């Protein structure tokens, strides 16, 4: 799978791309990440990419005559133009369902915002899918782009060591409940012991316990994720 990231600060990705699962996936040829500095497409001799908003107001706005040519040029680098995603607070909130949908594309083009945002004509001309990490404002879209890459690559075959791992993640699977509690050695630590059922070797009982624990954690921490409230007297 290929990711193209358009940003004003490509250097922010250097450490991220060289670590953990992503670095291994890139080395194995499962993932490609290409960084593109939007300033390269600035028509200004000083590579200026922003300007003051018409009508007044604070901050600067990313210029349409820089961003549109940049996106079009990057899309044209492959026969598949990819799915264009604009990272912006105005976008739809990212969730696991969106991640699973994005993972179905062979190429994602991620457009990172900065300053006070984009000239509105960028949206009108490029018609991107707009995505936000949540109801808060970041300094730019780079962190959001990393989050999308991190979430999507987990669903690319071969990236995870255990192909079943992503299916049991929080927000994944049929129920999309929170993941059940996990334990490892030592069996007892500061008086807290691993539940006996997990040591029993009875796979049916373990699966039953994990499902019940998942539901309890979801009801306690994210009741909005439960499809229906539990019946009276039901744990």
């Amino acid at each position: 799978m290929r990711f193209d990231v358009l940003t004003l600060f490509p250097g922010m990705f250097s450490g991220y791309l060289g670590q953990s699962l992503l670095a291994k996936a890139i080395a194995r040829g499962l993932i490609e990440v290409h960084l593109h500095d939007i300033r390269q497409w600035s028509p200004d001799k000083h590579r200026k990419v922003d300007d003051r908003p018409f009508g007044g107001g604070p901050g600067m706005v990313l210029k349409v005559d820089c961003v549109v040519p940049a996106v079009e040029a990057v899309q044209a680098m492959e026969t598949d133009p990819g799915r264009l995603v604009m990272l912006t607070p105005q976008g739809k909130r990212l969730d696991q369902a969106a991640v699973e949908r994005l993972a179905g594309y062979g190429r994602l083009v991620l457009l990172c915002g900065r300053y006070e945002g984009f000239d509105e004509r960028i949206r009108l001309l490029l018609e991107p899918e707009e995505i936000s990490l949540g109801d808060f404002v970041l300094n730019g879209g780079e962190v959001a782009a990393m989050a999308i890459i991190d979430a999507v690559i987990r669903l690319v075959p071969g990236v995870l060591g255990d192909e079943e791992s992503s299916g049991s993640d929080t927000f994944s699977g049929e129920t999309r409940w929170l993941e059940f509690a996990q334990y490892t050695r030592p069996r007892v630590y500061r008086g807290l012991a691993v539940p006996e059922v997990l040591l029993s070797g009875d796979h049916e009982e373990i699966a039953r316990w994990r499902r019940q624990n998942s539901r309890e954690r979801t009801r306690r921490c994210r009741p909005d994720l439960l499809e229906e409230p539990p019946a009276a007297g039901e744990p």
Side-chain angles (χ1 to χ4, degrees):
M1 182 168 189
R2 173 173 173 144
F3 297 88
D4 288 270
V5 183
L6 290 103
T7 171
L8 298 180
F9 301 99
M12 291 181 64
F13 291 81
S14 58
Y16 169 64
L17 295 177
Q19 303 294 324
S20 192
L21 284 175
L22 178 55
K24 294 178 181 178
I26 292 173
R28 293 168 60 195
L30 299 173
I31 301 295
E32 294 181 45
V33 180
H34 300 269
L35 304 174
H36 310 278
D37 188 341
I38 297 173
R39 290 184 180 88
Q40 293 180 1
W41 286 273
S42 173
D44 183 82
K45 66 178 181 179
H46 300 295
R47 302 178 74 193
K48 186 177 180 181
V49 295
D50 59 336
D51 210 335
R52 296 188 179 280
F54 284 121
M60 306 289 277
V61 175
L62 287 173
K63 291 164 54 67
V64 63
D65 59 350
C66 301
V67 176
V68 169
V71 171
E72 291 176 341
V74 169
Q75 287 181 318
M77 291 177 180
E78 293 285 323
T79 54
D80 174 14
R83 180 65 168 174
L84 176 60
V85 176
M86 177 187 284
L87 289 317
T88 168
Q90 287 78 32
K92 182 179 179 181
R93 187 182 303 177
L94 183 69
D95 58 18
Q96 188 63 23
V99 170
E100 292 170 4
R101 178 174 52 77
L102 292 175
Y105 293 95
R107 183 188 186 198
L108 294 179
V109 179
L110 306 177
L111 177 57
C112 301
R114 275 279 159 175
Y115 313 127
E116 290 302 310
F118 297 96
D119 184 307
E120 183 64 20
R121 291 168 292 184
I122 296 171
R123 292 186 176 88
L124 297 175
L125 290 170
L126 297 177
E127 298 182 332
E129 176 174 353
E130 300 180 48
I131 290 181
S132 169
L133 289 191
D135 296 339
F136 52 89
V137 179
L138 298 169
N139 287 325
E142 288 77 16
V143 171
M146 293 180 198
I148 288 178
I149 295 172
D150 230 43
V152 168
I153 66 167
R154 294 179 58 82
L155 303 179
V156 174
V159 171
L160 297 182
D162 182 349
E163 293 303 320
E164 295 183 358
S165 292
S166 62
S168 62
D169 285 343
T170 294
F171 309 123
S172 297
E174 294 181 359
T175 63
R176 299 189 182 276
W177 295 347
L178 302 184
E179 189 176 10
F180 48 79
Q182 299 274 22
Y183 297 85
T184 188
R185 294 177 176 81
R187 292 175 60 171
V188 180
Y189 183 73
R190 295 191 179 182
L192 296 175
V194 176
E196 286 297 324
V197 64
L198 300 180
L199 309 173
S200 68
D202 187 329
H203 297 297
E204 289 187 7
E205 283 299 316
I206 290 173
R208 188 176 296 111
W209 181 90
R210 284 176 168 171
R211 181 173 176 80
Q212 180 66 24
N213 183 264
S214 175
R215 182 172 182 174
E216 289 174 354
R217 287 159 69 93
T218 304
R219 183 177 62 181
R220 183 176 70 252
C221 302
R222 289 289 306 275
D224 56 298
L225 296 177
L226 291 173
E227 293 182 357
E228 58 183 12
E234 184 180 355

